[in-house]
Amino acid sequence: MKLTDKRFWIFEALAILSTATTIGIMQVCLGRFELDGDSMPICCIILTSYLVGQTVAWKVSKYLKWLKLGLSTYFYSIISFASIFAFIIILDYLDRKPLPVDVSADTHIGFSTFSISLVALFLWSIVSFIPSMLTGFSASLCLSSKKSKSDRTLKSVSLELLGVNGFAYPRKEALKIANRYFNSNKPILGGDVYKLVNGRIESTSDSWYCDRKESEPSYDYVVRSYHIACDYIRDYPDKANTFFSIVIEQIEDEI
């Protein structure tokens, strides 16, 4: 989960939808629930529960499948709701006030904070199901198209227009290819860096190389060239539209 991911914040904003839906269900079912100054703490607890629940759901749900996202939100919002009321119970226990002198110890003075919390948690587990699933469905519907667009990144760019017979790859793809060559026992002789400018590939004049040392075993050369290539690609300034070409050569095992 990245805090710079706009999709995450859009999903968090949907907590308002969950809160509004929950309040609407409470008004229909309870009839007496009204939005006023006394109900604001309840609304804040509801909103906080969804915000926390959706944050965890976003982290554990790798794909925007609405059913998994909705169920995860529902499950973790219940945990969040329970945690909030557990905190309230602890505060109430630490701030217990003695009974008035004119009240007998055998007199029933109503539900305890713990009992009220259990009832509230039970009601929450029922009321929050529809809003959680609605939020999961809305997020999947709204964000899946954005995700698909962001996933359409270039896997490679031809260097033919620059007179080079080969391709350049974005950082992640270049690291995968380097690992593939390493597993195939192919040393990486070096590589060049390119960038896309207005849709056209251009050389940055940056490059790296790894020559084989005298009397260096072939496997040692493969390992060393692999680490040099990966370190260069990873450490290269993280600029947008940066691509790397990789030059290889198959060496035969020494006799």
Side-chain angles (χ1 to χ4, degrees):
M1 181 184 69
K2 295 182 179 179
L3 295 180
T4 56
D5 192 343
K6 294 182 179 179
R7 295 176 301 145
F8 167 71
W9 293 111
I10 294 175
F11 182 60
E12 283 292 270
L14 289 175
I16 300 176
L17 173 63
S18 298
T19 302
T21 306
T22 301
I23 293 175
I25 294 175
M26 292 172 63
Q27 287 177 327
V28 172
C29 296
L30 301 180
R32 298 179 180 179
F33 185 83
E34 298 180 359
L35 290 176
D36 51 30
D38 296 333
S39 63
M40 287 308 298
I42 299 177
C43 294
C44 290
I45 291 175
I46 294 174
L47 179 60
T48 302
S49 299
Y50 282 123
L51 285 172
V52 176
Q54 290 180 194
T55 299
V56 182
W58 182 267
K59 184 175 179 60
V60 301
S61 300
K62 297 181 179 180
Y63 305 100
L64 290 173
K65 302 295 185 180
W66 75 270
L67 183 59
K68 182 178 181 180
L69 204 56
L71 290 176
S72 297
T73 299
Y74 171 69
F75 177 74
Y76 290 110
S77 66
I78 290 178
I79 295 178
S80 174
F81 190 83
S83 300
I84 293 174
F85 271 87
F87 180 72
I88 294 175
I89 292 174
I90 294 174
L91 290 181
D92 183 70
Y93 176 80
L94 295 176
D95 190 34
R96 286 195 304 178
K97 297 179 180 179
L99 292 173
V101 294
D102 58 342
V103 177
S104 172
D106 297 330
T107 302
H108 179 68
I109 58 174
F111 290 103
S112 65
T113 304
F114 180 74
S115 300
I116 295 175
S117 300
L118 288 180
V119 173
L121 181 61
F122 174 74
L123 293 177
W124 176 260
S125 64
I126 298 175
V127 175
S128 63
F129 180 77
I130 294 178
S132 297
M133 301 305 292
L134 177 62
T135 299
F137 180 77
S138 301
S140 178
L141 189 64
C142 297
L143 301 178
S144 59
S145 58
K146 294 185 178 181
K147 181 179 180 181
S148 61
K149 290 180 181 179
S150 64
D151 286 345
R152 293 175 195 158
T153 56
L154 291 173
K155 296 296 184 181
S156 64
V157 175
S158 175
L159 302 176
E160 184 178 355
L161 294 178
L162 299 179
V164 179
N165 184 23
F167 295 86
Y169 309 91
R171 187 185 308 272
K172 290 184 178 180
E173 193 68 21
L175 291 172
K176 291 180 181 179
I177 292 175
N179 185 69
R180 192 181 308 157
Y181 289 146
F182 171 73
N183 292 330
S184 301
N185 196 37
K186 296 180 180 180
I188 299 174
L189 305 184
D192 299 288
V193 185
Y194 300 86
K195 64 180 179 179
L196 276 179
V197 180
N198 297 325
R200 182 182 178 87
I201 193 70
E202 295 182 1
S203 173
T204 65
S205 299
D206 294 328
S207 62
W208 82 93
Y209 64 91
C210 179
D211 294 331
R212 185 176 182 179
K213 298 179 180 179
E214 186 177 354
S215 301
E216 182 179 22
S218 61
Y219 179 74
D220 292 348
Y221 181 39
V222 170
V223 174
R224 184 169 63 88
S225 66
Y226 167 73
H227 288 298
I228 290 177
C230 290
D231 289 343
Y232 185 91
I233 295 172
R234 291 194 189 99
D235 296 339
Y236 192 83
D238 192 10
K239 298 177 181 178
N241 300 322
T242 302
F243 292 77
F244 303 86
S245 68
I246 297 178
V247 180
I248 64 167
E249 177 180 313
Q250 177 68 52
I251 61 175
E252 302 296 335
D253 293 338
E254 296 180 348
I255 301 176

